Amino acid sequence: MMSRIEQLISEIEEYIDSCKFQALSNSKIIVNKEELEELLVELRLRIPDEIKKYQKIISQQETILNEAQAQADVMLDDAKKQADSMVAQASEQTSEMINEHEIMQRAYAHANEVVEQASIQAQAIVDSAVNDANGIRQSSIQYTDDMLRSLQTIINHTMEGARGRFDAFMTSMQSSYDIVSSNRNELSGGIVRPEEGEGQVPQEMEDGQQQA
């Protein structure tokens, strides 16, 4: 907002601009002394008040600046404290995150160890089961083979016994057959058949020899 002194100065300048120049001159003007004095008198009266006003404003300005500086200092201290607090919290959170990261790493390492041990134990169980199954399979095969070998031995002995009995039977039958044949041969010497020529073997004897 323009002060009264500034307004008076502007009015004086406007008044001077409105005055006419003297004849044959470009710098001298004709003024109304009373009007100009009125403006100057008011200007003189206003100057002390304006000076006091500006002095008061200046003094208040210094007070305001001091208060503002004090507030700025307080705000700066608060900001510094907040910054320090934030830095401390960030450092603490960082430390916690690092600790959590280390804990997670240890947890992952432990979990991997557990998984590895479980895998080893599971593989050992599987291997043991396979070995047991193979052992049972081999035992079953061996047992079956032993049973078959025993059965084979029994059958072989049975066959040998049957063969011996059959051979004895055939020998007995052959002996009986030979006796019967000999008896017939003896009887046939006394029988004369017209149809049988000399040197011809009787049919009964030929059949008997073929069977023998």
Side-chain angles (χ1 to χ4, degrees), residues 153-182:
T153 301
I154 293 170
I155 292 173
N156 188 36
H157 290 169
T158 302
M159 290 176 62
E160 288 178 356
R163 185 180 295 109
R165 288 191 299 272
F166 183 74
D167 290 342
F169 174 75
M170 291 299 295
T171 300
S172 177
M173 292 296 292
Q174 185 67 42
S175 177
S176 298
Y177 181 81
D178 291 342
I179 293 172
V180 172
S181 296
S182 177

Side-chain angles (χ1 to χ4, degrees), residues 2-91:
M2 185 179 295
S3 65
R4 181 55 185 162
I5 292 177
E6 292 174 341
Q7 291 178 354
L8 290 171
I9 292 172
S10 298
E11 290 177 2
I12 291 172
E13 290 176 349
E14 291 176 358
Y15 176 75
I16 292 172
D17 292 335
S18 65
C19 293
K20 296 179 180 181
F21 291 100
Q22 290 183 357
L24 304 176
S25 177
N26 292 325
S27 60
K28 295 179 180 181
I29 59 175
I30 299 172
V31 298
N32 188 325
K33 182 180 179 181
E34 293 180 358
E35 293 181 5
L36 183 58
E37 285 180 351
E38 288 178 0
L39 293 172
L40 292 175
V41 169
E42 186 177 0
L43 180 60
R44 290 189 189 97
L45 294 174
R46 291 287 184 178
I47 286 173
D49 294 335
E50 290 293 330
I51 290 174
K52 292 178 182 179
K53 180 179 178 182
Y54 282 114
Q55 287 176 346
K56 184 177 181 181
I57 292 173
I58 290 171
S59 62
Q60 290 178 350
Q61 183 178 3
E62 290 178 355
T63 302
I64 292 171
L65 289 175
N66 292 330
E67 292 178 355
Q69 184 64 40
Q71 292 178 358
D73 293 338
V74 173
M75 293 175 64
L76 182 60
D77 291 337
D78 292 340
K80 185 177 180 181
K81 290 179 181 179
Q82 291 179 358
D84 293 338
S85 177
M86 292 175 65
V87 170
Q89 291 178 358
S91 299

Side-chain angles (χ1 to χ4, degrees), residues 106-121:
R106 288 196 294 269
Y108 282 132
H110 181 67
N112 290 331
E113 291 178 358
V114 172
V115 171
E116 185 176 359
Q117 291 295 326
S119 299
I120 293 173
Q121 292 177 0

Side-chain angles (χ1 to χ4, degrees), residues 134-212:
N134 290 332
I136 293 171
R137 180 174 177 273
Q138 291 296 326
S139 298
S140 299
I141 293 173
Q142 186 65 42
Y143 176 77
T144 304
D145 184 67
D146 292 341
M147 294 296 294
L148 291 176
R149 185 173 62 251
S150 299
L151 181 60
Q152 186 179 19
T153 301
I154 293 170
I155 292 173
N156 188 36
H157 290 169
T158 302
M159 290 176 62
E160 288 178 356
R163 185 180 295 109
R165 288 191 299 272
F166 183 74
D167 290 342
F169 174 75
M170 291 299 295
T171 300
S172 177
M173 292 296 292
Q174 185 67 42
S175 177
S176 298
Y177 181 81
D178 291 342
I179 293 172
V180 172
S181 296
S182 177
N183 291 333
R184 286 193 66 195
N185 287 333
E186 291 177 359
L187 291 174
S188 63
I191 297 173
V192 178
R193 291 187 179 87
E195 64 276 9
E196 294 179 355
E198 186 178 354
Q200 186 176 1
V201 180
Q203 184 68 33
E204 292 84 353
M205 294 180 63
E206 184 178 359
D207 294 339
Q209 291 175 356
Q210 288 178 356
Q211 291 179 358

